[in-house]
Amino acid sequence: MQKIVTNLWFDGRVEEALELYTSCFEDARVTSVTRFSEGGMGTPGDVMTAEFELAGQKFCIINGGPVYTFSPAMSLAVNCVDQDEVNRLWERLTSNGGEEGQCGWLTDRFGVSWQIVPTALAEMLSSDDAAAVERVTAAFLKMTKLDIGELDKAFRNEHD
């Protein structure tokens, strides 16, 4: 059993969010759904809560109404193995109203903040070569979606 589960508070559109999030990861699945009943706080039949898994991590969505909204102060970081994964997740999560941010951050159409980060970046930033780290940092600070090829060029001090 996962000790800590991320809980996402939504104001409607829960099923749409579940569809988006589970479409982003091959090993994703919805594990349970509970619906509002007659006399409950929400519209009977609408999703009240849902539990789902993304890449082995458990999450819960609660359809709690307009009391709370999302903020970039909390984000979901995804470590991507290659540029194809970065591109695929970036495209899916920014589609239909999502917004690109700086340095690999984005906000999906529901307001949830994500960091789409290639694992190569962490490797570059942990280098003992301080000048290379400085170049990579300067490069990624100028990017929205992170580009592994451009980061690698900066790391190796290659210019076009």
Side-chain angles (χ1 to χ4, degrees):
M1 170 183 237
Q2 184 173 309
K3 192 168 195 81
I4 299 173
V5 176
T6 301
N7 188 59
L8 303 170
W9 183 288
F10 274 68
D11 180 17
R13 300 174 65 192
V14 170
E15 291 182 86
E16 184 183 343
L18 286 170
E19 184 178 322
L20 173 64
Y21 300 154
T22 58
S23 75
C24 289
F25 300 90
E26 291 179 12
D27 56 349
R29 66 190 182 109
V30 176
T31 57
S32 72
V33 175
T34 58
R35 297 186 180 276
F36 290 110
S37 60
E38 291 292 333
M41 295 175 61
T43 303
D46 281 358
V47 173
M48 181 173 64
T49 63
E51 294 178 356
F52 62 105
E53 294 178 5
L54 304 177
Q57 297 295 305
K58 294 180 182 185
F59 294 83
C60 180
I61 286 182
I62 182 169
N63 190 1
V67 178
Y68 301 111
T69 58
F70 295 110
S71 153
M74 191 287 205
S75 61
L76 302 173
V78 182
N79 295 309
C80 300
V81 296
D82 57 28
Q83 192 66 48
D84 287 341
E85 186 177 20
V86 169
N87 294 345
R88 182 177 52 78
L89 289 171
W90 193 267
E91 174 63 31
R92 286 187 184 168
L93 292 168
T94 58
S95 67
N96 298 319
E99 295 182 17
E100 295 184 353
Q102 289 300 114
C103 307
W105 287 60
L106 64 85
T107 303
D108 68 30
R109 64 182 171 247
F110 309 106
V112 176
S113 294
W114 296 78
Q115 297 177 57
I116 308 302
V117 184
T119 55
L121 177 60
E123 294 166 7
M124 291 178 211
L125 292 175
S126 65
S127 171
D128 291 335
D129 184 342
V133 170
E134 188 174 317
R135 289 189 304 272
V136 168
T137 301
F140 85 73
L141 288 174
K142 296 175 187 170
M143 296 179 181
T144 53
K145 177 177 69 175
L146 299 180
D147 182 318
I148 298 170
E150 291 301 313
L151 293 170
D152 188 56
K153 284 181 187 178
F155 184 79
R156 292 184 283 124
N157 203 20
E158 294 181 0
H159 306 281
D160 287 332

